[in-house]
Amino acid sequence: MSTLMSVGVNERVLSDNDRVALRLKDRFAETGTLVVNLISSPGSGKTSLLEATVKALGRDYRVGSVVGDVATERDADRLRALGIPASQILTGGACHLDARLVNKTLSEGGFEALDFLFIENVGNLICPTSYDLGEDFKVALLSVAEGDDKPLKYPGIFSRAAVTVITKIDLLPHVSFDLDGVREEIRSLNPAGTILTTSARTGEGIRDWTWLLRDRLAAKLSAVSWVV
Ligand SMILES: Nc1nc2c(ncn2[C@@H]2O[C@H](COP(=O)(O)OP(=O)(O)OP(=O)(O)O)[C@@H](O)[C@H]2O)c(=O)[nH]1
Ligand SMILES: [Mg+2]
């Protein structure tokens, strides 16, 4: 038997990852859960932004989190300390999460009927970019301490993320970071994207971020109710 298969040009060839991601999307549509995949360099403030998010939304919404790291339970411990379900996925060296890892973790239970599921990806600006985890949208984080040259050096994530959050804005007086220039560069890569600025330390911008999340959840729920 030939090992070669002919595939029509219009036929979409789904990878194993995409198949699982589609099943996850169905599951999240059924439960009415908004799923956000956070991607950034190590240390740019993903867990800190999530801590601030849980504090702002946790009283009104059911929030859960899945956190990817190469090693340690530290980030999941930080989020569990706020009283939400949080599961740590240890990749053992891999530089990104994939849909099967997320699916396996969720199938172990504790994440049913959430309003928001935040997936904190492994700290990396490249590897996680092309993996669909069943999320509604990707969020790129860029801290002002990382340098303002990053969007054009790592265009993949900044062009794919529906939202870019520029973090650690409280450090702006102490670093050389051209905020307007960075906004312009991100817009050149992703004209339809939203750009926010936040500080998990002072709370600046957290309200805008959480309103964006509330709006996106409401939009998803009304779209799902049209389909059902
Ligand atoms: N000044 C300031 N420091 C911050 C802010 N957000 C996070 N940090 C600090 O930045 C460091 C890294 O923050 P994390 O939230 O752990 O970053 P992360 O992106 O989750 O890191 P990894 O999971 O290792 O990739 C910590 O020391 C935080 O206290 C902020 O808004 N302002
Ligand atoms: Mg973290």
Side-chain angles (χ1 to χ4, degrees):
M1 191 176 78
S2 166
T3 53
L4 289 176
M5 281 170 49
S6 158
V7 179
V9 285
N10 290 325
E11 188 178 337
R12 174 132 192 255
V13 181
L14 287 176
S15 68
D16 283 353
N17 186 81
D18 287 347
R19 273 183 232 287
V20 180
L22 276 179
R23 285 211 302 273
L24 284 170
K25 279 185 207 295
D26 286 346
R27 166 192 171 138
F28 298 137
E30 271 168 34
T31 56
T33 304
L34 188 82
V35 182
V36 180
N37 180 1
L38 294 122
I39 298 174
S40 75
S41 308
S44 57
K46 298 178 290 299
T47 312
S48 301
L49 180 65
L50 289 183
E51 288 172 322
T53 308
V54 172
K55 286 177 193 160
L57 293 179
R59 237 177 298 168
D60 299 331
Y61 296 92
R62 296 157 298 179
V63 180
S65 183
V66 171
V67 192
D69 272 305
V70 169
T72 86
E73 289 262 336
R74 287 180 173 180
D75 283 1
D77 283 343
R78 284 167 64 183
L79 295 166
R80 281 193 288 259
L82 298 174
I84 65 159
S87 182
Q88 185 82 45
I89 300 178
L90 297 181
T91 65
C95 53
H96 61 87
L97 292 176
D98 63 45
R100 274 184 293 190
L101 285 171
V102 172
N103 188 45
K104 182 170 175 291
T105 299
L106 295 180
S107 66
E108 286 161 8
F111 293 91
E112 295 78 18
L114 293 176
D115 298 308
F116 294 102
L117 175 68
F118 295 100
I119 304 175
E120 179 182 332
N121 224 306
V122 180
N124 191 297
L125 274 179
I126 305 164
C127 312
T129 305
S130 47
Y131 284 82
D132 186 351
L133 305 180
E135 72 268 3
D136 289 282
F137 57 94
K138 290 179 171 60
V139 173
L141 282 76
L142 172 66
S143 76
V144 300
E146 279 167 78
D148 52 19
D149 57 346
K150 296 301 175 288
L152 293 188
K153 287 175 78 174
Y154 300 92
I157 182 56
F158 293 100
S159 53
R160 284 187 188 145
V163 181
T164 296
V165 182
I166 300 172
T167 60
K168 307 193 189 181
I169 207 80
D170 58 290
L171 296 179
L172 260 187
H174 311 290
V175 294
S176 168
F177 188 90
D178 175 3
L179 185 56
D180 289 338
V182 164
R183 282 198 181 105
E184 231 166 81
E185 290 190 355
I186 295 168
R187 272 191 216 109
S188 76
L189 294 166
N190 187 349
T194 300
I195 303 170
L196 299 175
T197 53
T198 62
S199 167
R201 181 145 302 173
T202 66
E204 187 180 341
I206 298 297
R207 189 182 290 248
D208 291 341
W209 159 245
T210 54
W211 272 112
L212 177 143
L213 293 169
R214 290 172 203 260
D215 283 351
R216 300 273 169 129
L217 175 64
K220 177 168 186 172
L221 293 178
S222 72
V224 169
S225 69
W226 270 103
V227 174
V228 176

